[in-house]
Amino acid sequence: MAQTKAKERFSPPAVGGISLLVVFAVLCLTVFALLALTTVQADKRLADASAQAVTDYYAADCQAQEILARLRSGERPDGVEIAGRLGDGIYTARYTVPISESQELQVEVELTETWADYSWRYQVVRWQAAPTGEWESDESLEIWDGT
């Protein structure tokens, strides 16, 4: 009989508000951890794309500098368009260097002959990254005209 009384007095611990609060807190922390992980992955993809864009730009810039050095030494590299003004010894050299599939580095240099030492003086007129594709307007948005 002593064992029966001991069994009757024993009651399971109360599962109530505190347990629900702990479950809710764990669920919230899990959701926040997943959101943080998603944000970190998106930031990494953006950083990788940015690093690749910078690498591509500086590779194109280096190639454009090499072409400019060849122009200054008197060569005419392939792909360089040279136009001159009549009589004044000033020439304009234009060339492009691809940066990526959608961008190119456009360079325009003004070359002037100097008769004193038979060399070229140069001035960079344009050194600009520009898109290669054509711009197309999107007129699919219907706007309410008031009627």
Side-chain angles (χ1 to χ4, degrees):
M1 209 175 211
Q3 289 181 352
T4 312
K5 286 184 178 180
K7 285 184 182 178
E8 290 176 9
R9 282 200 233 163
F10 179 75
S11 62
V15 178
I18 292 179
S19 297
L20 290 175
L21 186 61
V22 168
V23 169
F24 181 71
V26 168
L27 185 65
C28 286
L29 290 174
T30 303
V31 169
F32 289 144
L34 290 174
L35 288 173
L37 180 65
T38 304
T39 302
V40 166
Q41 288 174 341
D43 287 346
K44 183 184 181 318
R45 282 193 306 270
L46 182 62
D48 289 344
S50 178
Q52 186 62 46
V54 169
T55 301
D56 292 344
Y57 175 81
Y58 282 112
D61 184 70
C62 183
Q63 189 177 356
Q65 288 285 354
E66 290 172 1
I67 293 172
L68 179 60
R70 290 174 61 191
L71 280 170
R72 289 180 59 201
S73 69
E75 290 182 49
R76 182 177 178 180
D78 293 336
V80 176
E81 175 188 321
I82 297 180
R85 298 183 199 160
L86 294 175
D88 60 2
I90 298 175
Y91 300 93
T92 302
R94 291 183 187 94
Y95 57 96
T96 61
V97 178
I99 297 173
S100 66
E101 292 178 4
S102 61
Q103 277 191 323
E104 66 184 8
L105 185 61
Q106 297 176 347
V107 180
E108 184 175 336
V109 180
E110 195 171 84
L111 300 165
T112 307
E113 288 180 299
T114 57
W115 298 108
D117 57 355
Y118 298 105
S119 64
W120 294 94
R121 199 177 80 227
Y122 76 99
Q123 178 178 1
V124 176
V125 178
R126 179 177 179 190
W127 196 280
Q128 176 182 11
T132 56
E134 290 293 320
W135 181 79
E136 295 178 15
S137 66
D138 181 15
E139 297 180 13
S140 63
L141 183 64
E142 295 181 21
I143 300 175
W144 183 57
D145 61 358
T147 57

